[in-house]
């Protein structure tokens, strides 16, 4: 739920270079001293991304400016957002807005193709669900932009690494300085949802945009706060992992699968097989939708040994825990859930049958507050710490 502010398009002038597509109602505009080849390369990338997003991915085109064209501006610096609000549709039944795109003119090659696709995807989101929170908007637009880009830009690895370096953060959290690599890397979450539950590429994001219409009063200073994309997920994914499963189970499964993604998430602890009971505190508290990972080496354990684990955590957090048995290649061989009572602040288990296991990965996920469902518009989500005690048996 962002503010209803029009930031204004970049100032143009007679020296600005503009090229318009003959295939789509879109123009690329660049500041003076931009080569015509750069402008034409951006226009070509725009046509290609427009074709992919509105064709095979079946998304609507962004709403245009008053002149009937959608405008993409090449700008000097990296823009904070890839597309900005231009004006709100005053007569639409549900919230809908026109936009314009922003791409740094310094990029080229595959990075240019991805940046252009990202801007158009964000423009589509301004049309379809403009009230989407900023963190989700960046990650979701990145998800469909990658589907529309037929090459891998080098910054994709950097974005993924930034996301995996902070697994305890809320997956859609935005820093005070604005969205960045972490938020683009958070497309890992939405791409995982798409692969796990989508019927075709992009179906989950498309559904989020289509099923979260909002109605904001004309006099409001901010977009309406509901429904949100997580409201859609909460309803749509109920039972997706079993009859009694819910969004909590989905978040836990994502955290487990995230552990085997390259690059892997940063570990909270990596510890040897315990010769005696040991207790570890969370180096970083875990925010809702975030996770902590503890690696316990099995090397040195006697044959037939078991491991006792006891986790406790702070009040007002709902945490889910599981133990993943891993082989030497880093592949999971078994997943052992740790049962806990609703609203409890502790969980315990004894893990057995460890012969042949290379290491154990303990995964703890904060699935949200005990007081209310996860709200992406909250903006700040209280993180909570934990303690983990391990003892060989």
């Amino acid at each position: 739920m962002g503010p209803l502010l029009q930031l204004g398009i970049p100032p143009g002038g007679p020296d600005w270079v503009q090229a318009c597509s003959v295939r789509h109602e879109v123009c690329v505009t660049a500041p003076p001293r931009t080569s015509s080849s750069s402008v034409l390369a951006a226009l070509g990338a725009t046509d290609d991304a427009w074709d992919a997003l509105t064709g095979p991915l079946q998304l609507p085109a962004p709403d245009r400016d008053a002149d009937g064209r959608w405008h993409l501006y090449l700008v000097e610096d990296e823009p904070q957002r890839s597309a900005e609000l231009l004006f709100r549709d005053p007569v639409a039944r549900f919230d809908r807005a026109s936009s314009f795109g922003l791409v740094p003119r310094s990029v080229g090659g595959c990075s240019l193709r991805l940046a252009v696709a990202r801007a158009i995807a964000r423009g589509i989101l301004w049309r379809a669900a403009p009230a989407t929170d900023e963190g989700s908007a960046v990650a979701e637009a990145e998800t469909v932009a990658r589907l529309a880009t037929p090459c891998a830009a080098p910054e994709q690895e950097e974005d993924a690494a930034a996301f995996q370096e902070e697994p305890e953060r809320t997956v859609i959290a935005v820093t005070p300085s604005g969205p960045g690599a972490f938020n683009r890397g958070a497309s890992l979450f939405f791409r995982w949802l798409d692969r796990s539950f989508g019927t075709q590429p992009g179906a989950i994001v498309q559904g989020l945009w289509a099923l979260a219409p909002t109605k904001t009063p004309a006099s409001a200073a901010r977009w309406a706060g509901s429904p949100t994309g997580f409201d859609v997920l909460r309803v749509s994914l109920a039972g997706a992992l079993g009859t009694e499963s819910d969004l909590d189970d989905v978040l836990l499964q994502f955290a487990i699968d995230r552990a085997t993604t390259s690059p892997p998430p940063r570990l909270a602890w990596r510890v040897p097989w315990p010769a005696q009971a040991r207790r570890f505190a969370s180096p970083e508290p875990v925010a809702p939708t975030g996770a902590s990972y503890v690696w316990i080496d099995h090397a040195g354990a006697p044959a037939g040994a078991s491991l006792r684990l006891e986790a406790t955590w702070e009040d007002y957090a709902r945490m889910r825990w599981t133990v993943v048995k891993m082989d030497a290649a880093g592949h999971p061989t078994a997943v052992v859930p740790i049962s806990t009572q609703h609203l409890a602040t502790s969980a315990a288990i004894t893990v057995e049958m460890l012969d042949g296991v290379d290491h154990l990965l303990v995964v703890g996920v904060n699935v949200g507050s005990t007081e209310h469902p996860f709200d992406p518009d909250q903006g700040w989500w209280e993180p909570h710490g934990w303690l983990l005690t391990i003892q060989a048996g």
Side-chain angles (χ1 to χ4, degrees):
M1 179 180 63
L4 277 161
L5 295 177
Q6 179 180 342
L7 300 182
I9 61 175
D15 296 330
W16 282 53
V17 181
Q18 184 177 80
C20 295
S21 172
V22 297
R23 292 159 48 190
H24 306 291
E25 295 174 329
V26 60
C27 294
V28 173
T29 304
R33 298 181 299 280
T34 302
S35 67
S36 57
S37 60
S38 296
V39 175
L40 292 176
L43 183 61
T46 301
D47 276 334
D48 290 344
W50 199 285
D51 285 337
L53 290 166
T54 62
L57 293 177
Q58 302 177 2
L59 293 167
D63 274 356
R64 302 160 181 79
D65 201 343
D67 64 0
R69 293 184 178 273
W70 194 75
H71 293 272
L72 180 73
Y73 294 87
L74 305 185
V75 293
E76 296 290 350
D77 301 318
E78 184 76 29
Q80 187 179 81
R81 294 195 290 192
S82 55
E84 297 285 2
L85 170 67
L86 187 59
F87 54 81
R88 178 183 174 187
D89 189 328
V91 297
R93 181 180 178 187
F94 295 101
D95 289 336
R96 181 169 171 166
S98 298
S99 61
F100 59 91
L102 298 169
V103 169
R105 71 169 184 168
S106 59
V107 299
C110 191
S111 294
L112 172 64
R113 295 171 72 95
L114 178 60
V116 168
R118 182 185 298 136
I120 298 172
R122 186 68 177 91
I124 294 170
L125 181 52
W126 277 117
R127 167 183 172 165
T132 302
D133 67 280
E134 188 63 20
S136 296
V138 173
E140 291 167 10
E142 186 74 14
T143 299
V144 295
R146 292 191 183 190
L147 289 173
T149 305
C151 54
E155 60 269 24
Q156 292 179 14
E157 293 185 5
E158 299 172 6
D159 295 344
F163 180 70
Q164 294 287 67
E165 182 60 26
E166 299 185 84
E168 297 88 0
R169 284 182 67 185
T170 299
V171 295
I172 57 165
V174 177
T175 64
S177 60
F182 176 91
N183 299 106
R184 293 189 299 271
S187 63
L188 176 67
F189 173 62
F190 292 96
R191 286 185 286 124
W192 176 85
L193 288 174
D194 205 46
R195 289 193 304 269
S196 301
F197 307 109
T199 56
Q200 61 187 27
I204 290 294
V205 172
Q206 184 184 44
L208 291 175
W209 295 0
L211 298 175
T214 53
K215 295 183 178 182
T216 303
S219 59
R222 302 181 68 86
W223 296 103
S226 62
T228 70
F230 278 82
D231 292 332
V232 175
L233 292 176
R234 191 171 293 110
V235 174
S236 301
L237 298 183
L241 294 174
T243 305
E244 301 298 325
S245 67
D246 56 17
L247 184 58
D248 293 355
D249 298 289
V250 171
L251 293 173
L252 177 60
Q253 187 61 53
F254 169 68
I256 295 170
D257 292 349
R258 181 179 182 178
T260 57
T261 300
S262 180
R266 177 181 48 78
L267 298 171
W269 292 96
R270 178 168 181 168
V271 298
W273 184 261
Q276 57 187 6
R278 300 187 64 184
R279 175 173 289 179
F280 303 91
S282 51
E284 296 287 340
V286 188
T289 73
S292 284
Y293 298 87
V294 178
W295 174 309
I296 305 171
D297 280 317
H298 187 242
S306 60
L307 187 68
R308 178 71 176 176
L309 299 104
E310 298 180 1
T312 60
W313 56 94
E314 295 178 331
D315 288 336
Y316 303 108
R318 293 185 300 110
M319 292 200 71
R320 297 281 301 274
W321 294 82
T322 196
V323 180
V324 185
K325 298 179 182 180
M326 307 288 286
D327 64 19
H331 301 136
T333 60
V335 176
V336 185
I338 305 178
S339 300
T340 184
Q341 297 297 317
H342 182 60
L343 302 184
T345 56
S346 65
I349 195 172
T350 298
V351 185
E352 301 176 322
M353 301 178 64
L354 298 179
D355 292 348
V357 172
D358 181 78
H359 62 277
L360 299 174
L361 192 65
V362 183
V363 182
V365 184
N366 183 343
V367 294
S369 169
T370 59
E371 300 181 301
H372 54 78
F374 176 73
D375 182 0
D377 290 322
Q378 188 174 336
W380 185 86
W381 303 271
E382 184 178 6
H384 293 273
W386 49 260
L387 293 172
L388 179 67
T389 302
I390 62 175
Q391 183 175 8

